[in-house]
Amino acid sequence: MTSEKKIPTLYEWAGGMPVFEKLMNAFYDKVLQDELLAPVFRHMSPAHQLHVAHFIAEVFGGPKMYSEEEGSHFRMIQKHLGKHLTEQHRKRWVQLLIETADTLNLPDDPEFRSAFVAYIEWGTRIAVINSQETEVPLKPDEPMPKWGWGEPGGPYIP
Ligand code: HEM
C-alpha cells in the first residue's frame, strides 16, 4: 500500500506566522544597526516589519493578510519606487536576513533553504530594479507572487 505524503507549504514548513513575524522583527533590528542599510530604513513606518512578514508569509502559501488588510502587490512595489537601491544594499539585506534565519533556527534543510534563498534572490533583485523607477510597471490588481518548493519539490519526508 502506498501512503500519500502531503507536501506542506513553505509557510507551514517554516513554522507559521509567529516565525515570520519574529524573523522580520529581529531582521529589522539588525538592519537599523547596519551602517549601509540604516539610512535607507530610517523613516520606515512602524508597521514595516509586520507588513513585510505578512507579505512573505502570503507569498509562501500563508493567509492573505497582506493583500486583504494591509496592501497589495502593487502597493508593495510602489513603496520601493525612487529609493535608488544599489547592489550593495541588496547584498547586505540578503546577508542579514539569512544570518537572522540562522540565529532564529528557521528550518535549515536543503530543500527549504533552497526555496527560501531563491525567493529572496528574486524578490530583492526586483526591488532594486523597481527602486530605479518612478511608476509601478504593473496593473493595480496584479496578483501577489507565489513561491513554492521549486525543483526539489518538497521537504525530505522519510
Ligand atoms: C524579497 C524582497 C523584498 C520584499 C518581499 C519586500 C517587501 C516590502 C514590503 C511589503 C514593503 C511595504 C511595507 C508596508 O506596507 O508598510 C516594503 C517597503 C520598503 N522596502 Fe522592501 N522588500 C524587499 C526588498 C527590499 C530591499 C532589498 C530593500 C533595500 C535594501 C527594501 C527597502 C524597502 C524600503 C525602503 C521600503 C519603504 C519603507 C517605508 O517607507 O515604510 N526592500 N518592502
Side-chain angles (χ1 to χ4, degrees):
M1 199 174 76
T2 54
S3 64
E4 290 282 319
K5 286 173 185 161
K6 185 185 174 302
I7 297 173
T9 60
L10 294 170
Y11 168 81
E12 288 164 338
W13 190 254
M17 199 57 89
V19 169
F20 287 91
E21 292 186 351
K22 239 191 274 167
L23 175 67
M24 287 303 161
N25 279 328
F27 169 61
Y28 281 102
D29 285 350
K30 274 188 206 262
V31 163
L32 292 174
Q33 300 294 320
D34 183 90
E35 55 179 21
L36 182 62
L37 292 180
V40 176
F41 289 94
R42 214 179 10 237
H43 303 296
M44 71 183 183
S45 83
H48 181 81
Q49 292 90 323
L50 284 183
H51 286 177
V52 179
H54 299 162
F55 183 92
I56 295 183
E58 184 168 342
V59 171
F60 283 0
K64 297 181 186 304
M65 280 173 76
Y66 187 78
S67 66
E68 288 185 355
E69 293 162 35
E70 297 163 348
S72 62
H73 191 189
F74 184 91
R75 295 245 311 265
M76 179 276 222
I77 292 174
Q78 211 168 32
K79 294 268 186 185
H80 295 100
L81 294 180
K83 294 282 194 292
H84 300 290
L85 305 174
T86 64
E87 176 59 14
Q88 285 70 31
H89 291 127
R90 190 195 73 80
K91 271 210 187 81
R92 185 68 58 82
W93 199 97
V94 170
Q95 179 201 343
L96 292 182
L97 183 57
I98 292 173
E99 272 176 32
T100 315
D102 288 341
T103 312
L104 295 184
N105 296 319
L106 257 75
D108 63 356
D109 54 297
E111 291 79 13
F112 177 78
R113 287 304 178 105
S114 148
F116 183 72
V117 169
Y119 171 68
I120 294 305
E121 273 294 311
W122 182 79
T124 54
R125 284 172 191 276
I126 292 180
V128 171
I129 293 169
N130 287 328
S131 76
Q132 319 303 325
E133 304 290 334
T134 50
E135 277 177 34
V136 182
L138 298 177
K139 292 191 240 99
D141 59 353
E142 192 70 24
M144 290 283 282
K146 283 190 195 320
W147 212 260
W149 288 94
E151 195 61 29
Y156 172 67
I157 301 174

